[in-house]
């Protein structure tokens, strides 16, 4: 009996998914608890609460569907950011011990990091399954489907960071699978966006282009593809900003600033590396459309 009480207490303390399921909260109660847990900085509980909300699969209006989408995405993002902060601290500590330790402490942190990586991969795979099996099939609008295919690609992209390539063939296969799944879902989301004719300033579209072009640059080493993708979206969107209301204008402007910063840095990198591709010839001073002047990016205010 005491053991059962201890298990129940631990569940309540950790705000596990089981705790929310056992209480059988109504939809509006789960949404309220997500908001409260967000304000309290309890992101694991917030995510588990949001997962329970998604798993209810109740009929929703389009407004309710958007609210659920945004709450789930925010919960995933905040939980993931917290875990990434912990991961960076552990990796920094491991780097210190690799040069200053006789071996025992280094082995301990290596083992712990391996377990930590696996716990994050378990979380990422869980999110991918929920998005793929529940959220995408039950999306009632093309915009929501595009949002979730992008999210699916983002989380497969995260998986790549935690599959450490080594002599283990199974691990390397998982790494390659994550890279390929990210590519396919980004490309399918782009295809859906083109077919749906989303407005060039639509934040869902701009966020998709931002992340897909970053994927091309970071994981496919496709510098010119990344620049071309980002530049086209930036040019198409910049003329339509005047037609937006204040809320959409602010969000679109922020995404365009991030695109602009990436384009500036990538063009500089491409010019330094001697890459062309914008229709110009090498004149000894860089290529057309590229600059060898080091970018000076103003910090966000």
């Amino acid at each position: 009996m005491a053991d059962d009480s201890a298990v129940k207490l631990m569940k309540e303390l950790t705000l596990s998914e089981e705790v929310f399921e056992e209480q059988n909260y109504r939809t509006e109660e789960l949404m309220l608890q997500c908001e409260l847990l967000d304000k309290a900085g309890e992101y694991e509980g917030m995510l588990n609460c949001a997962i329970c909300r998604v798993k209810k699969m109740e009929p929703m209006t389009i407004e309710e569907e958007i609210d659920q989408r945004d709450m789930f995405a925010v919960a995933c993002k905040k939980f993931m950011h917290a875990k990434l902060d912990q991961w960076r601290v552990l990796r920094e500590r491991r780097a210190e011990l690799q040069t200053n330790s006789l071996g025992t402490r280094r082995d301990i942190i290596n083992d712990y990091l391996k377990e930590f990586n696996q716990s994050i991969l378990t979380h990422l795979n869980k999110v991918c399954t929920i998005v793929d099996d529940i959220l995408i099939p039950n999306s009632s609008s093309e915009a929501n489907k595009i949002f979730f295919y992008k999210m699916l690609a983002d989380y497969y992209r995260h998986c790549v960071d935690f599959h450490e390539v080594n002599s283990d063939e199974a691990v390397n296969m998982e790494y390659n699978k994550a890279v390929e799944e990210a590519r396919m879902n980004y490309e399918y989301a782009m295809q859906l966006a083109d077919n749906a004719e989303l407005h060039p300033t639509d934040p869902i579209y701009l966020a998709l282009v931002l992340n897909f072009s970053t994927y091309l640059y970071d994981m496919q080493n496709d510098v010119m593809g990344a620049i071309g993708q980002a530049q086209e979206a930036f040019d198409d969107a910049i003329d339509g900003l005047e037609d937006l209301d204040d809320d959409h204008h602010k969000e679109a402007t922020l995404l365009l600033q991030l695109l602009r910063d990436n384009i500036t840095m990538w063009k500089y990198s491409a010019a330094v590396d001697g890459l062309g591709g914008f229709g110009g010839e090498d004149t000894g001073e860089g290529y057309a459309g590229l600059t060898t002047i080091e970018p000076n990016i103003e910090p966000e205010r």
Side-chain angles (χ1 to χ4, degrees):
M1 187 68 177
D3 289 343
D4 291 342
S5 299
V7 170
K8 185 175 186 298
L9 177 61
M10 284 304 297
K11 284 183 177 180
E12 291 172 352
L13 287 174
T14 56
L15 294 171
S16 66
E17 193 177 331
E18 290 80 5
V19 169
F20 294 106
E21 289 175 348
E22 287 171 4
Q23 296 299 321
N24 196 28
Y25 290 113
R26 298 193 307 273
T27 297
E28 57 270 24
E29 291 175 327
L30 288 170
M31 293 296 284
L32 175 59
Q33 290 203 49
C34 279
E35 292 177 11
L36 294 173
L37 291 165
D38 183 15
K39 292 183 183 297
E42 180 53 66
Y43 300 131
E44 183 173 1
M46 180 189 180
L47 176 59
N48 288 329
C49 185
I51 288 173
C52 286
R53 169 68 186 92
V54 168
K55 286 184 174 180
K56 278 184 172 290
M57 292 191 290
E58 295 174 344
M60 291 179 285
T61 64
I62 186 62
E63 290 80 10
E64 290 171 336
E65 189 176 329
I66 291 172
D67 287 342
Q68 175 188 267
R69 179 199 76 190
D70 292 345
M71 184 65 74
F72 180 73
V74 167
C76 289
K77 183 177 181 179
K78 291 193 172 183
F79 176 79
M80 194 64 206
H81 280 186
K83 288 296 181 183
L84 284 171
D85 287 342
Q86 296 170 1
W87 181 67
R88 292 186 187 103
V89 169
L90 289 170
R91 286 174 64 89
E92 288 172 5
R93 182 59 177 151
R94 182 176 68 175
E96 292 172 6
L97 291 175
Q98 283 177 336
T99 56
N100 300 319
S101 173
L102 295 176
T104 303
R105 289 187 298 167
R106 183 186 59 205
D107 292 343
I108 290 172
I109 198 167
N110 279 337
D111 290 342
Y112 184 77
L113 253 175
K114 186 176 180 180
E115 292 179 9
F116 190 84
N117 283 0
Q118 190 56 53
S119 71
I120 294 182
L121 282 169
T122 300
H123 158 71
L124 291 171
N125 288 325
K126 183 178 184 179
V127 170
C128 287
T129 299
I130 290 170
V131 172
D132 209 8
D133 293 351
I134 300 177
L135 290 167
I136 290 175
N138 290 284
S139 293
S140 60
S141 72
E142 286 300 294
N144 279 349
K145 285 184 179 179
I146 294 164
F147 181 96
F148 285 126
Y149 273 111
K150 170 200 164 288
M151 186 175 180
L152 191 59
D154 289 342
Y155 273 75
Y156 275 118
R157 186 165 62 113
H158 282 313
C159 285
V160 174
D161 292 329
F162 299 98
H163 285 303
E164 296 189 358
V165 179
N166 52 38
S167 58
D168 189 329
E169 185 175 346
V171 172
N172 294 342
M173 286 179 63
E174 288 296 317
Y175 175 93
N176 291 331
K177 177 187 175 185
V179 172
E180 185 64 12
E181 286 284 354
R183 181 190 64 78
M184 289 191 299
N185 283 289
Y186 278 132
E187 288 181 349
Y188 190 62
M190 291 294 297
Q191 181 181 329
L192 288 178
D194 290 341
N195 293 339
E197 297 182 349
L198 291 183
H199 194 275
T201 58
D202 190 310
I204 291 177
Y205 176 69
L206 291 175
L208 170 60
V209 173
L210 176 66
N211 287 14
F212 182 38
S213 59
T214 302
Y215 166 85
L216 290 174
Y217 185 86
D218 288 341
M219 294 192 174
Q220 297 291 314
N221 199 29
D222 185 1
V223 179
M224 306 312 291
I227 293 172
Q229 192 86 59
Q231 187 73 64
E232 181 180 0
F234 184 89
D235 292 342
D236 290 343
I238 204 71
D239 293 332
L241 285 177
E242 295 179 358
D243 302 328
L244 299 178
D245 59 42
D246 289 344
D247 289 341
H248 284 92
H249 187 281
K250 182 177 180 181
E251 190 173 1
T253 300
L254 174 60
L255 290 165
L256 285 171
Q257 287 173 347
L258 294 172
L259 276 172
R260 179 207 63 189
D261 293 350
N262 282 352
I263 292 166
T264 303
M265 289 185 289
W266 294 344
K267 283 186 175 181
Y268 171 72
S269 176
V272 169
D273 291 340
L275 299 176
F278 286 94
E281 297 295 329
D282 184 8
T283 63
E285 299 179 351
Y287 290 80
L290 304 181
T291 175
T292 54
I293 300 174
E294 187 166 358
N296 180 22
I297 304 298
E298 295 180 2
E300 292 180 24
R301 290 185 172 83

